[in-house]
């Protein structure tokens, strides 16, 4: 989130205001602390100390402006009183900065004031929507105000380049990571300081050196040549507000540091200090392929400590439901009544769940809805079906049924199946949602209230009687959104349907009445995806505003906001135990959030393109993610490690699904294919010894071809959704593309 | 930003230049100036340049933002709508009027470097008054099809749908209607054309289940021989179509055909109906299906045999059913006859005998049927004997060629009698059975599970039933041993198996001579070509073989089970005085009927032969053959030198002897 960074950034800005008299990096730091102490001294001090004080005042004024604009007049008053700023000063602050705080109190006062400012400035934006705050942006960008000699930038950069190319091979790969962030930051500095021609020359000279997976960003970058353009550009804002994270071994880092100190290369050293976060680890430097597999995200790799938190990835205990002993003679049982019913036994699932999974969260860690009778019936159905499930494996591949949407001129944008594969929902670009019945059973509405009054409520078939036979049809259209529907999700009990749309709302539809029940407003921008919790009640949504939100169906405001992604949240999935939420984003990271406290517990980097599909394995241990670059990455949630890379698709992967037992991973893509992968083998082959677990440096075997079990073409139908039925039949869905 | 919007909407755009190093389009300042002038603003050069650059940037930004909408709409093509959304979210006016799905042609103007989107004028009046109202879009719908079964399905890259679940196209439906109408209709010419097409059409795989369903309708038209015939022809065409994969439909087809063979059809109540031909044809068809598609369904051979056996052993069933069972077995090859018919023969004989010997008027019809069955059995066992002899010869040849393995014998056997052994199936006899049995028997080992009876024993037993009528047919066949030079046998003389096979060879060669004593009705002037052999020879050969079989049966207890089943039949033959010796009067020389006595001899048995009397009158095809021609036909019957592979083989002509 941009705003969170503001506090430190302002301090940065303050530091950068120092002229470049300091000869090297270390003394630069000490100089900064010196200036910090200076700022606490009375304002009547030497003019050298006046500059920082002026900065403070500017900050204060910026805060005041901000509060004013948001009509927080009381806060403005209080702040003004406390800061002792006259109203006139706001307007004229630019001209006479030093005169501002002359009259007021002692140094202690100023000190407390400063601390208060830093708190408010950090806290206030948090409560606000993220973007488009001009003062904030200008403050952020002012980090670039530092001036070097523009023509020298090329010299600096090529000097570093020569150095890195001359070091030992084992260090070269690691230090090469510096190229891209340095390049971007130097370019932006040039642009910010209006050295347009130098910037262009710099870009032309060095852009070719960057890794190919940064092409998209470079493309955006090369269009930026004016300082004014920097303000509105979201991608650049991301780059500024977050530090680019690099993992470098201690040896390599020492090498770099020594080099830069020898050369007195301040310019680069400053950038490293201010804009990069170098995560130093002890041990062997990583190889090029190891680095490549983890890099590619907008903000570099994840810091190691981010992924240290424990994740309870185990499954929750199944509720104990008595399953009838014999599947076949349900009727006989009913006839004979009670005595036989007592002979029911616990299903194997029930007995298995007796021992608690050590990795599972507390049963009541997240309050879950009570099971209704209909849910229990459904669970029983599920268990019965699962006994008839086909065991899949490399020799035993699933059959594939393709649900083709015909005449979808308006554009199919999202598909979902119910868990029992009885209903199919499609979201369309013409802002409709359509629901089809996949079984011969037609869709019926509940009768109107007047008709319902007439019904005898005691009768056995009252549930049947409340349905209006006249409305029976194969499909129903749900109108309500005012923009393309980008995500649909059925509730597990099949009573509700969620849809998220470009109009910024998530809507909850009743599948009994086929009407809209609630419109959840919170995202002010397009909502790209939504997903129901596997236990119902909760759902998650994510959109263009870069946050994912957790909702409960009976609350019109979100329960949690998962903020941290640097770009749009493109897809959201609930963990099978409902305690975690995974989100994929345009910033090319996958994040795992704890529903309990909205903390980000995992940041998974390695994708080279926006992530458009996610799937948890049924046992909750693994996560698969697919992106626009056509690769599927497999993650071990417990260790936060990448454990597999499945290459083969040639276009965006929009659908991922594990088979019911987790043996097979199916991926569907825009390239009109469904591919099946041997996920069991992929998980087994990973050696998770202590070293890899602690350092996170995994060496991935390049075995996509061995893991690929099958590739299945459709004629001209991109695969938008995949679903395994309870018996492990694979259902695929997509709209026929006649061109 | 307003300018960008108007840039799009005014269409006076825009010289796009592409600078190599920047890789994106730029709006030149001239365009900006033009735009400004058109709205009455004068711009200086610098302002225009700045504006141009800003416009470019904003355009790029909008395009980049819009690509996100494209990705989420799961499309590859950026649409105007995407751009509009991006513009809307950046609080910019959207562009109206370009939402069409079709590509907009972008044309240059000849006079200047000007490009524009073609926008034809539409005459609204004409449009409003037009009578051809455009149809609305078709309803959005979902269709499901099984794309891949068990991960396999078809491996064609284009992923076509398996035919079994393909829905029928309009054309196919029409084809189906036409074909069924033609086949079941009255016009024979039309039917022929339809059948031919059915035989060669490569695109009717999707219709196969429907045709099979139609064919299974045989059960409902059992009163109409014509329809049954047509349906059988349909089966034949389907079976012969090389583009059809029958798969499990074979079972359904076979059951339909079996119905025609075995069931007492409603049509057979009327003696005028020639349901016999139908059964013959169906039997032929069965064998054809079996030989060509039998491998598609495992255990089919055994199933067929079982059901035929069931019919045969059920005395309640009418004779026409029995007839069907016999011709069916015959059509399946001599092994089937050997395995099913031959062991059943003694039990069955009693029933048949009873029918044949009942001369009451009321029984006339049944008796005629009985003769049919008798003839069918006769033909079947004859071929059995012949083929068995032939196979023995060949096996002896194979082993006589000096090659040690039994496999060579088997190979020789298979090569020389193609199509005679059923395709390898778990329950059928392995093809090398005969060769191995020879050797195994010689080594004194017990024979494996199903023990074939030795040829002489079989001959003796059959002879006990048929008497000389069996013999006469043999005599007329071509010399079977002709292909067997006696030479190869000799080097093996020292061993036991050639010693035992040598008499067999001898038998096969001599048996025709054995059977030459035949009395043909006086009207036949053609005398038997063979001289009757002295009974001594007839006495010696079976005697030898009996001795041999007794020696072999002592070594094999397995064979006893079979022979014990046949023994009661033989013991009943004692009480079976009905077996007529020559006590019938000589038949009258009526033109349509001819009769002859077959003087059968049975060693140690009392029945010595039986006289035959057949009336030809009712069967039209036979009346065309004068007896004389018929007599000349006799030698041809049972000839095996003709290629057996052709399923309409001429030696298979059941109606001839009767």
């Amino acid at each position: 989130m941009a705003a969170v960074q503001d506090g430190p950034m302002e301090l940065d800005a303050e530091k950068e205001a120092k002229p470049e008299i300091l000869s090297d990096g270390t003394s630069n730091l000490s100089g900064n602390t010196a200036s910090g102490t200076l700022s606490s001294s009375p304002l009547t001090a030497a003019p050298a100390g006046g500059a920082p004080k002026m900065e403070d005042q500017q900050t204060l004024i910026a805060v005041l402006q901000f509060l004013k604009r948001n009509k927080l007049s009381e806060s403005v008053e209080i702040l003004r009183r406390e800061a002792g700023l006259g109203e006139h000063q706001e307007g004229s602050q630019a001209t006479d900065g030093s005169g501002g705080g002359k009259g007021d109190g002692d140094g202690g006062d100023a000190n407390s004031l400063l601390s208060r400012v830093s708190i408010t400035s950090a806290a206030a934006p948090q409560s606000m929507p993220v973007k488009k705050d001009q003062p904030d942006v200008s403050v952020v960008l002012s980090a670039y105000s530092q001036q070097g000699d523009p023509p020298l930038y090329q010299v600096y950069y090529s000097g570093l380049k020569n150095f890195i190319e001359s070091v030992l091979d084992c260090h070269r790969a690691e230090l090469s990571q510096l190229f891209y962030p340095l390049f971007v930051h130097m370019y932006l500095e040039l642009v910010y300081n209006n050295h347009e021609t130098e910037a262009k020359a710099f870009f032309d000279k060095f852009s070719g050196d960057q890794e190919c997976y940064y092409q998209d960003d470079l493309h955006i970058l090369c269009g930026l040549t004016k300082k004014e353009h920097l303000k509105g550009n979201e991608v650049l804002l991301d780059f500024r507000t977050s530090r680019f994270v690099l993992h470098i071994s201690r040896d390599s880092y020492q090498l770099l540091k020594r080099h830069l100190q020898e050369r007195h290369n301040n310019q680069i050293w400053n950038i490293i200090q201010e804009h990069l976060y170098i995560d130093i680890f002890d041990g062997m430097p990583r190889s090029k392929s190891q680095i490549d597999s983890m890099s590619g995200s907008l903000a570099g790799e994840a810091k190691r400590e981010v992924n240290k938190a424990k994740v309870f990835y185990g499954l929750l205990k199944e509720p104990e439901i008595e399953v009838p002993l014999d599947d076949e003679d349900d009727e006989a049982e009913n006839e004979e009544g009670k005595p036989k019913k007592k002979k029911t036994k616990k299903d194997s699932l029930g007995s298995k769940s007796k021992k608690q999974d050590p990795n599972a969260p507390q049963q009541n860690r997240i309050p879950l809805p009570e099971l209704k009778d209909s849910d229990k019936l459904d669970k029983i159905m599920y268990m019965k079906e699962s006994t008839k499930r086909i065991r899949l494996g490399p020799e035993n591949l699933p059959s594939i049924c393709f649900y083709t949407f015909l005449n979808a001129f308006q554009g199919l944008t999202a598909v979902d199946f119910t868990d029992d594969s009885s209903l199919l929902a499609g979201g369309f670009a013409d802002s409709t949602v359509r629901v089809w019945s996949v079984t011969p059973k037609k869709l019926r509405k509940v009768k109107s209230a007047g008709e319902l009054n007439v019904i005898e409520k005691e009768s056995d078939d009252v549930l049947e009687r409340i349905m209006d036979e006249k409305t029976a049809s194969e499909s129903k259209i749900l109108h309500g959104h005012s923009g393309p529907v980008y995500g649909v999700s059925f509730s597990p009990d099949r009573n509700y349907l969620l849809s998220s749309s470009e109009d910024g709302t998530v809507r909850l539809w009743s599948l009994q009445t086929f009407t809209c029940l609630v419109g959840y407003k919170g995202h002010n921008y397009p909502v790209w995806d939504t997903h129901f919790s596997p236990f119902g009640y909760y759902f998650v949504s994510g959109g263009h505003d870069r946050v994912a939100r957790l909702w409960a169906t009976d609350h019109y405001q979100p329960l949690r906001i998962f903020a941290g992604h640097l770009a749009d949240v493109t897809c959201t999935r609930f963990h099978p135990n409902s305690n975690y939420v995974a989100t994929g984003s345009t910033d090319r990271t996958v994040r795992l959030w704890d529903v309990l406290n909205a903390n980000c517990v995992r940041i998974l980097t390695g994708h080279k393109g926006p992530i458009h599909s996610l799937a948890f394995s049924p046992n909750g241990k693994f996560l698969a993610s697919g992106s626009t670059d056509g690769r599927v990455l497999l993650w071990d949630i417990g260790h936060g490690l990448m454990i597999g890379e499945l290459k083969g698709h040639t276009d965006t992967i929009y659908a991922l699904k594990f088979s019911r037992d987790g043996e097979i991973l199916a991926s569907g893509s825009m390239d009109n294919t469904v591919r099946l992968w041997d996920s069991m083998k992929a998980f087994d082959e990973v050696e998770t010894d202590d070293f890899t677990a602690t350092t996170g440096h995994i060496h991935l075997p390049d075995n996509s071809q061995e893991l690929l079990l099958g590739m299945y073409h459709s004629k001209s139908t991109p695969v938008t959704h995949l679903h395994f039925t309870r018996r492990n039949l694979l259902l695929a869905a997509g709209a026929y593309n006649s061109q | 930003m307003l300018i960008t919007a108007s840039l799009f909407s005014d269409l006076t755009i825009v010289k796009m230049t592409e600078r190599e190093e920047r890789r994106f389009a730029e709006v030149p300042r001239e365009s900006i100036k033009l735009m400004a002038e058109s709205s009455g603003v004068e711009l200086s050069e610098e302002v225009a340049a700045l504006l141009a650059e800003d416009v470019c940037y904003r355009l790029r930004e909008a395009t980049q933002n819009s690509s996100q909408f494209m990705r989420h709409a799961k499309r590859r093509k950026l649409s105007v709508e995407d751009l509009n959304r991006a513009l809307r979210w950046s609080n910019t006016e959207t562009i109206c009027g370009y939402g069409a799905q079709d590509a907009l042609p972008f044309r240059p103007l000849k006079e200047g470097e000007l490009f524009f989107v073609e926008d034809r004028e539409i005459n609204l009046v004409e449009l409003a008054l037009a009578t051809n109202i455009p149809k609305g879009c078709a309803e959005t719908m979902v269709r499901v099809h099984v794309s891949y079964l068990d991960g396999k399905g078809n491996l064609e890259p284009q992923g076509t749908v398996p035919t079994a679940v393909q829905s029928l196209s309009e054309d196919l439906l029409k084809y189906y209607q036409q074909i069924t109408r033609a086949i079941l209709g009255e016009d024979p010419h039309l039917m022929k054309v339809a059948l031919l097409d059915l035989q060669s059409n490569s695109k009717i795989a999707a219709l196969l289940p429907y045709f099979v369903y139609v064919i299974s309708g045989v059960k409902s038209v059992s009163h109409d021989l014509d329809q049954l015939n047509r349906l059988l022809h349909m089966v034949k065409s389907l079976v012969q179509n090389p583009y059809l994969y029958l798969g499990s439909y074979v079972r359904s087809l076979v059951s339909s055909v079996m119905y025609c063979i075995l069931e007492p059809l409603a049509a057979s109540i009327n003696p005028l109906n020639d349901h016999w031909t139908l059964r013959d044809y169906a039997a032929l068809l069965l064998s054809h299906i079996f030989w060509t598609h039998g491998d598609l369904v495992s255990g089919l051979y055994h199933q067929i045999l079982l059901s035929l056996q069931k019919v045969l052993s059920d005395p309640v069933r009418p004779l026409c059913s029995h007839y069907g069972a016999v011709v069916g077995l015959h059509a399946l090859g001599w092994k089937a006859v050997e395995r099913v018919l031959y062991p059943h023969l003694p039990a069955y004989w009693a029933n048949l005998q009873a029918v044949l010997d009942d001369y009451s008027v009321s029984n006339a019809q049944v008796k005629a049927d009985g003769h049919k069955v008798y003839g069918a059995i006769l033909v079947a066992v004859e071929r059995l004997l012949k083929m068995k002899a032939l196979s023995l010869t060949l096996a002896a040849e194979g082993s006589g060629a000096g090659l040690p393995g039994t496999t060579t014998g088997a190979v020789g056997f298979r090569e020389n009698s193609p199509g005679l052994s059923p395709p390898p199936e778990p329950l059928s006899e392995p093809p090398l059975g005969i060769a191995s049995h020879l050797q195994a028997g010689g080594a004194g080992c017990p024979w494996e599970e199903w023990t074939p009876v030795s040829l002489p024993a079989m001959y003796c037993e059959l002879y006990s039933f048929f008497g000389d009528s069996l013999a006469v047919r043999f005599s007329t066949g071509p010399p079977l041993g002709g292909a067997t030079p006696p030479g190869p046998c000799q080097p093996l003389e020292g061993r036991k198996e050639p010693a035992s096979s040598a008499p067999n060879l001898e038998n096969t060669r001599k048996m025709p001579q054995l059977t030459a004593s035949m009395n043909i009705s006086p009207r036949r002037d053609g005398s038997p070509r063979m001289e009757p052999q002295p009974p001594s020879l007839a006495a010696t050969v079976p005697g030898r073989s009996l001795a041999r079989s007794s020696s072999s049966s002592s070594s094999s207890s397995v064979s006893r089970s079979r022979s014990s089943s046949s023994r009661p039949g033989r013991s009943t033959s004692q009480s079976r005085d009905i077996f007529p010796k020559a006590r019938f009067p000589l038949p009258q020389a009526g033109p349509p009927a001819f009769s002859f006595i077959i003087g059968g001899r049975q060693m140690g048995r009392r029945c010595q032969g039986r006289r035959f009397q057949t009336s030809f009158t009712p069967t039209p095809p036979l009346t065309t053959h004068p007896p004389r021609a018929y007599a000349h036909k006799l030698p041809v019957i049972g000839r095996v030198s003709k290629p057996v592979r052709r399923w309409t083989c001429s030696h298979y002509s059941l109606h001839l002897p009767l």
Side-chain angles (χ1 to χ4, degrees), chain B residues 291-457:
Chain B
W291 292 120
T292 51
H293 294 85
D295 51 334
L296 293 180
V297 183
S298 63
L300 183 66
Y301 181 65
H302 192 64
Q303 269 182 9
I304 297 175
L305 284 194
L306 271 182
S307 52
L308 291 174
Q309 182 176 358
K310 207 176 130 210
V311 171
L312 201 61
S313 56
D314 184 359
V316 185
R317 284 190 179 251
L319 283 167
C320 53
S321 291
H322 292 159
Y323 176 85
V326 173
V327 292
L329 284 169
H330 180 59
L332 285 177
W334 62 274
K335 298 220 164 175
V337 177
E338 187 180 20
R339 282 187 62 174
V340 179
L341 179 61
Y342 176 67
H344 268 82
L345 205 49
Y348 184 69
W349 195 256
N351 298 323
L352 185 61
Q353 194 69 50
V355 170
L356 292 180
D357 291 344
D358 184 352
Y359 290 98
S360 60
V361 180
S362 59
N363 193 45
Q365 185 56 44
V366 181
K367 186 155 165 279
D369 291 356
H371 281 301
K372 280 273 191 194
V373 181
Y374 178 88
I377 295 176
L378 187 59
V379 171
V381 297
E382 265 173 22
R383 195 153 74 102
L384 166 66
L385 284 174
K386 238 171 234 184
M387 294 313 297
K388 203 167 161 67
L390 181 68
S391 71
L392 284 176
T393 329
L394 292 171
E397 243 180 288
S399 62
L403 295 166
T406 56
T407 45
T408 48
V411 168
F413 169 65
R414 294 199 74 178
E415 279 172 355
N416 282 310
S417 55
L420 274 179
S421 75
E425 274 190 19
L427 286 158
S428 69
E429 196 199 357
L432 47 130
I434 287 162
S436 63
H437 121 238
L438 272 179
Q439 293 201 339
C445 298
W447 297 342
E448 283 179 37
E449 45 169 289
W450 176 69
T451 320
V453 189
S454 74
L455 183 59

Side-chain angles (χ1 to χ4, degrees), chain A residues 116-187:
Chain A
R116 209 170 300 178
V117 166
S118 64
I119 289 165
T120 43
S121 66
Q126 263 179 330
S127 62
M128 287 301 301
V130 195
K131 304 194 300 182
K132 320 276 188 202
D133 304 323
Q134 288 305 325
D136 291 345
V137 174
S138 64
V139 165
V140 165
L141 289 174
S142 69
Y144 282 124
S145 63
Q146 184 177 26
Q147 281 269 9
D149 192 6
L152 283 181
Y153 273 53
Q154 286 194 29
V155 179
Y156 293 146
Y157 188 86
S158 50
L160 184 74
K161 192 177 151 192
N162 290 338
F163 161 70
I164 290 177
E165 278 167 1
S166 67
V167 296
L168 287 174
D169 280 358
C170 60
H171 301 299
R172 188 190 302 153
E174 288 213 306
L175 294 179
S176 300
Q177 297 175 82
L178 282 167
F179 283 142
Y180 175 67
L182 279 179
F183 170 80
V184 174
H185 283 290
M186 290 172 89
Y187 177 76

Side-chain angles (χ1 to χ4, degrees), chain A residues 196 200 222-223 229 233 398-400 402 404 406-407 410 413 484 502 528 568 651 654 670 712-713 720, chain B residues 22 53-54 57 60 68 71-72 74 76 85 89 138-145 147-148 150-151 157:
Chain A
E196 195 181 333
K200 278 178 185 170
C222 76
H229 296 161
N233 194 299
S399 302
I400 306 175
F402 209 109
T404 313
L406 304 172
N407 306 323
Q410 64 278 53
T413 44
E502 191 239 18
W528 298 131
D568 301 28
D651 210 329
Y654 280 117
M670 276 284 275
Y712 305 100
H713 289 269
T720 356
Chain B
R22 306 302 296 275
E53 200 159 347
D54 192 61
Y57 173 74
R60 279 198 297 280
Q68 200 161 29
R71 277 205 305 271
H72 279 97
K74 296 172 173 127
R76 278 198 202 85
R85 290 189 200 291
W89 282 111
E139 184 68 16
T140 307
M141 54 183 171
V142 184
R143 283 288 166 270
V144 63
H145 51 89
S147 300
Y148 294 92
D150 295 332

Side-chain angles (χ1 to χ4, degrees), chain B residues 45 123 135-136 144 153 221 235 259 347 391-392 418 422 627 632:
Chain B
E45 197 64 24
N123 189 342
K135 279 184 203 161
V144 63
V221 291
V235 175
Y259 179 88
S391 71
L392 284 176
H632 285 302

